[in-house]
Amino acid sequence: AWTNEAYGLTYYNGKYHLFFQKNPNGPYLYFMHWGHLTSPDLVSWTEEKMPLAPSPGFDNFGVWSGTTIFDENETPVIFYTGVDGAKAGIGSAFAQDDSLLTWEKNRNNPLIPNPPPNYFSLDFRDPYIFKKDGLYYMIVGSGLANNGGGILFSYTSPDLENWTLIDPIFQSRDFQQNGTFWEMPALFALNEQDYALVVTPQFDGAP
């Protein structure tokens, strides 16, 4: 059917867990699910049951890409993009056992119901989360309309539940060089001061 976009690589209780976009209904973008692979060594992989699927509410049209992050108890939490056919929001899900094979969506979803309203933005998807100085940071891939360039909508949270919008951590108006929209962002700390930003630029609409 449809398989792409590996994300959320996590090592927990002696196993690696890797998630990805999967549509069991066919090679269609609509009604996307999450797939799940496990491995003891990053070489041999076993496909597990799907941890997330569309359900009534903000993600009834599809469960799109995201990431995992460890909470205060060092337990992995899933963050994902939910779409309802009109807009996208961000939700989370919790593991129901130490095997990480069964997940339950957060009853407070969507934690972020829509993109920031004060921006004329394109799509809004693919949250990535990191922690610095006791605070969680979330970046979400997007782009500004009319060739405004790629942008990372950015949020902070003390608890992975309540999120506050902050100024975008990074954006680029050079749409010809850096794309009109950024997918699958990630921000890695190299040391106390330097970070590496990784995005997948899309050039739709650029001349």
Side-chain angles (χ1 to χ4, degrees):
W2 180 300
T3 300
N4 76 326
E5 289 191 358
Y7 44 75
L9 180 63
T10 302
Y11 184 75
Y12 187 71
N13 279 352
K15 276 191 176 182
Y16 294 95
H17 297 261
L18 182 65
F19 303 94
F20 61 96
Q21 290 281 262
K22 178 182 177 69
N23 194 336
N25 302 307
Y28 317 118
L29 178 63
Y30 310 116
F31 304 112
M32 196 65 70
H33 298 52
W34 272 39
H36 185 187
L37 298 165
T38 61
S39 172
D41 54 13
L42 294 176
V43 177
S44 302
W45 292 90
T46 300
E47 184 168 3
E48 310 290 356
K49 65 181 180 180
M50 292 180 290
L52 295 177
S55 56
F58 90 109
D59 62 13
N60 60 19
F61 202 60
V63 176
W64 289 2
S65 301
T67 191
T68 56
I69 183 71
F70 287 94
D71 65 13
E72 294 293 338
N73 299 316
E74 295 300 317
T75 302
V77 180
I78 280 175
F79 277 80
Y80 68 96
T81 309
V83 295
D84 62 6
K87 65 181 186 306
I90 307 300
S92 67
F94 306 112
Q96 299 302 293
D97 53 63
D98 286 338
S99 67
L100 306 187
L101 298 184
T102 301
W103 294 79
E104 182 176 316
K105 294 177 183 178
N106 191 334
R107 66 182 65 183
N108 295 321
N109 284 346
L111 302 179
I112 302 174
N114 45 252
N118 52 329
Y119 290 85
F120 190 25
S121 61
L122 303 175
D123 213 339
F124 177 76
R125 59 178 182 265
D126 308 341
Y128 179 84
I129 300 172
F130 61 96
K131 191 176 185 181
K132 180 176 174 58
D133 298 332
L135 196 62
Y136 294 100
Y137 290 80
M138 179 194 296
I139 54 176
V140 184
S142 189
L144 299 180
N146 302 316
N147 288 327
I151 190 169
L152 300 177
F153 290 125
S154 306
Y155 303 82
T156 59
S157 173
D159 56 8
L160 294 176
E161 195 76 13
N162 301 285
W163 293 92
T164 300
L165 179 70
I166 61 174
D167 289 339
I169 285 177
F170 194 76
Q171 70 180 101
S172 173
R173 292 183 172 85
D174 187 351
F175 66 90
Q176 292 181 316
Q177 177 69 30
N178 298 322
T180 57
F181 184 93
W182 289 344
E183 290 187 323
M184 303 295 293
L187 195 62
F188 301 95
L190 302 177
N191 51 51
E192 286 297 318
Q193 295 181 330
D194 300 312
Y195 285 76
L197 172 64
V198 180
V199 299
T200 302
Q202 304 298 310
F203 291 87
D204 297 343

